[in-house]
Amino acid sequence: MTVSTSAELSERESTLLASIPTGVLIGGQWRAAAGGRTFAVEDPATGKVLLEVSDAGAQDGADALDAAVAAQDEWAATAPRFRAEILRRAFDMVMERADDFALLMTLEMGKPLAEAMGEVKYGAEFLRWFSEEASRSFGRYSTNPEGTGQIMVQKKPVGPCLLITPWNFPLAMATRKIAPAIAAGCTMVLKPANLTPLTSQLFAQVLMDAGLPAGVLNVVATTDAGGVTGPLIADPRLRKLSFTGSTPVGRSLLANAAHNVLRTSMELGGNAPFLVFGDADVDAAVEGAMAAKLRNMGEACTAANRFLVHESVAGEFAEKFAAKMSALTLGRGTEDGSKVGPLIDAKSRGKVHALVSDAIADGARVLTGGAPAEGDGYFYQPTVLVDVAPGARILSEEIFGPVAPIVTFKDEDEAVALANATEYGLVAYVFTGSHNRGMRMANRIETGMLGLNVGVISNAAAPFGGVKQSGLGREGSLEGIAEYQYTQYIGSPLPDNG
Ligand code: NAP
């Protein structure tokens, strides 16, 4: 399979890139990084440089936290509706510029334009959802059981937050944190992934255009993640760390956060099992598998990582799934008909291929794909593997690519044991004709989320997050704003009757 891509930027692409702020955002001003250094952001479909962005250092990080701390009290005192209306305006503005956001994500991250448009809608929904939540964040009141005092409970913003986001969903991972932090009244320092900072840069400008006061959101893109964020995590003025990324990095950030007993939210890696039972509608399961595997080229924490299929339908499922996977068109996300974009970089593609090669060496059979695609960029062929050995690395590690290993099971107990045989617990997918069995699986499978007869379940109104080593806390829904609030109890005697 060969992929040919045009390395020339179109006029529209060049114009969009020229409009992106390239500095660090501190106290409402875009400026060059303190050392004047920059780094290049690349198009993974061509390997060509798109734009140079300021490379923040420790001083910029410190300035960003100073600005967030300085803005905190005034921001926390704003009316909830004031914050709600900024979010609502930002929602409208992101949707008005949906084409720009989608194109920018396709350029820096590689996903096909249609998928990027899907992310714009999904990401923007966090702005709308939390604009609605901002003024509905209630405390409570009660008389104590002894009848002698009042119990008043109020929610308060936790204070300045450090938000660290990954490269795979450049808009949605940012809005999922920034929107509830704004709604709750927190100020922020955002450190986007250095592979895809451009979407965050544009989004930060949109927020300011929507009326976000100076200093509430500060943005420091950097190639020295540890050097910039380490001192902030150690600074007692920081009150919260919200991280989305890999489990190993999350683990080490948690250890660092322990020093100041920081509030933390951790959205970490996954190893989602995708279960197909003998009573499932196999065609629907194949559709679900395509969505759960191919969304974002498999570069999603929620991507189905292991396909566990009942032996009675395994042959039919594998054959139909492989036929669909082999019919997909690879190409730069901006090209018509492209269904599968490149992986993010050469290292990621190398890791995907190493997992596939290992599985093959252990006896797996390739139904389709099995190798990098030839040509420019970091493309990998959509791949289906069967007869995967139980101990294969590909079943225990996050693949993060368009590769589907299939394993068979004999009965429900074996399916549950296989599904739970991982340190991760983010999401599982279950396809079955029996609602009863589906609910039984929800009870027995240890994940924070479960898709029942559906391959994609992300929604701003739903609590997103994992258990075990997939993380702590939830994003979206009612839980999402609570991550940025602390509970204060005020006790007082009952008022006397005068
Ligand atoms: P990553 O390597 O852990 O990086 C995530 C973020 O952490 C990036 O901004 C990165 O910065 C930063 N970072 C790396 N080392 C750091 C350090 N020592 N100190 C502070 N920050 C540091 O993960 P990724 O490769 O970008 O993203 C893929 C991973 O994210 C996968 O494991 C995926 O499952 C997970 N993910 C989880 C969810 C979820 O909601 N559970 C959602 C999406 C992705 P630089 O990249 O700029 O160095």
Side-chain angles (χ1 to χ4, degrees):
M1 199 178 280
T2 305
V3 183
S4 69
T5 50
S6 161
E8 292 304 311
L9 290 177
S10 69
E11 199 181 320
R12 172 154 150 57
E13 291 164 7
S14 302
T15 309
L16 174 61
L17 288 170
S19 74
I20 306 301
T22 55
V24 290
L25 175 63
I26 291 170
Q29 300 294 323
W30 293 103
R31 63 155 169 82
R37 285 180 310 140
T38 61
F39 66 95
V41 181
E42 208 182 74
D43 178 345
T46 62
K48 296 279 188 307
V49 173
L50 294 167
L51 206 60
E52 291 278 335
V53 169
S54 285
D55 193 355
Q59 185 59 54
D60 302 297
D63 293 347
L65 182 60
D66 287 348
V69 169
Q72 179 60 61
D73 286 351
E74 200 177 326
W75 178 237
T78 54
R81 181 145 288 146
F82 176 75
R83 302 194 294 271
E85 284 172 356
I86 292 170
L87 285 170
R88 178 61 211 213
R89 272 196 298 278
F91 168 76
D92 291 336
M93 291 165 76
V94 168
M95 292 312 294
E96 274 157 25
R97 296 196 63 183
D99 288 342
D100 284 347
F101 274 102
L103 179 58
L104 194 57
M105 280 195 280
T106 292
L107 289 176
E108 67 173 341
M109 189 273 163
K111 67 184 77 188
L113 259 184
E115 281 199 45
M117 191 55 95
E119 182 177 343
V120 175
K121 291 186 181 137
Y122 170 55
E125 280 305 334
F126 290 97
L127 301 169
R128 178 152 66 174
W129 173 263
F130 285 109
S131 77
E132 292 158 348
E133 284 304 288
S135 46
R136 286 175 180 64
S137 182
F138 305 121
R140 58 180 197 269
Y141 173 90
S142 63
T143 303
N144 71 13
E146 296 75 20
T148 55
Q150 306 169 87
I151 295 174
M152 290 171 279
V153 177
Q154 65 169 341
K155 303 284 181 189
K156 296 174 74 175
V158 291
C161 302
L162 172 61
L163 314 177
I164 303 179
T165 53
W167 49 264
N168 59 346
F169 291 98
L171 181 65
M173 297 303 99
T175 57
R176 222 160 71 165
K177 297 185 190 306
I178 292 171
I182 288 177
C186 296
T187 61
M188 295 152 269
V189 176
L190 170 70
K191 194 218 78 64
N194 68 48
L195 290 166
T196 59
L198 304 181
T199 306
S200 296
Q201 302 277 112
L202 177 59
F203 177 54
Q205 183 59 50
V206 164
L207 276 172
M208 288 201 299
D209 294 344
L212 193 71
V216 174
L217 174 66
N218 305 278
V219 183
V220 283
T222 176
T223 56
D224 182 13
V228 170
T229 63
L232 305 194
I233 295 169
D235 190 314
R237 296 173 303 163
L238 188 78
R239 295 297 159 78
K240 159 106 194 171
L241 166 64
S242 177
F243 171 76
T244 299
S246 61
T247 295
V249 173
R251 222 180 259 133
S252 86
L253 291 176
L254 269 175
N256 297 344
H259 185 70
N260 278 335
V261 195
L262 270 187
R263 280 279 296 269
T264 56
S265 300
M266 294 277 145
E267 297 286 351
L268 308 178
N271 180 3
F274 186 105
L275 285 76
V276 184
F277 284 92
D279 59 6
D281 173 339
V282 173
D283 292 324
V286 169
E287 282 307 321
M290 292 296 289
K293 182 73 258 182
L294 262 291
R295 178 168 177 242
N296 231 36
M297 292 76 75
E299 294 171 313
C301 51
T302 51
N305 213 56
R306 298 168 292 151
F307 290 83
L308 312 178
V309 187
H310 189 260
E311 57 188 7
S312 64
V313 290
E316 181 190 356
F317 175 83
E319 192 186 312
K320 289 180 167 170
F321 189 20
K324 284 204 179 269
M325 290 280 270
S326 64
L328 292 167
T329 306
L330 278 63
R332 188 173 188 229
T334 49
E335 285 164 14
D336 282 348
S338 163
K339 293 280 187 247
V340 184
L343 297 182
I344 190 69
D345 59 12
K347 189 169 148 227
S348 296
R349 183 167 74 167
K351 186 200 158 196
V352 170
H353 192 50
L355 290 175
V356 170
S357 305
D358 259 30
I360 295 171
D362 278 352
R365 262 188 315 124
V366 179
L367 291 193
T368 185
E374 287 169 20
D376 299 332
Y378 312 116
F379 292 87
Y380 199 85
Q381 297 177 8
T383 297
V384 177
L385 303 173
V386 291
D387 301 337
V388 180
R393 269 207 308 144
I394 201 164
L395 300 177
S396 60
E397 292 184 25
E398 250 189 322
I399 302 170
F400 247 55
V403 176
I406 298 179
V407 172
T408 60
F409 65 83
K410 288 188 170 48
D411 58 33
E412 219 173 90
D413 285 345
E414 188 186 7
V416 170
L418 288 170
N420 286 337
T422 167
E423 73 268 27
Y424 294 107
L426 189 61
V427 62
Y429 303 92
V430 173
F431 278 74
T432 170
S434 155
H435 186 71
N436 203 26
R437 190 206 297 271
M439 294 310 292
R440 204 158 57 231
M441 289 301 102
N443 289 341
R444 296 184 69 190
I445 293 177
E446 298 165 348
T447 53
M449 302 178 284
L450 187 130
L452 183 51
N453 292 320
V454 63
V456 174
I457 57 168
S458 301
N459 190 295
F464 188 107
V467 296
K468 294 160 78 178
Q469 295 190 30
S470 287
L472 302 166
R474 294 293 179 268
E475 291 190 321
S477 193
L478 308 180
E479 288 85 349
I481 190 168
E483 299 278 322
Y484 294 90
Q485 295 171 319
Y486 71 90
T487 300
Q488 185 180 49
Y489 154 54
I490 304 151
S492 116
L494 277 182
D496 60 33
N497 290 328

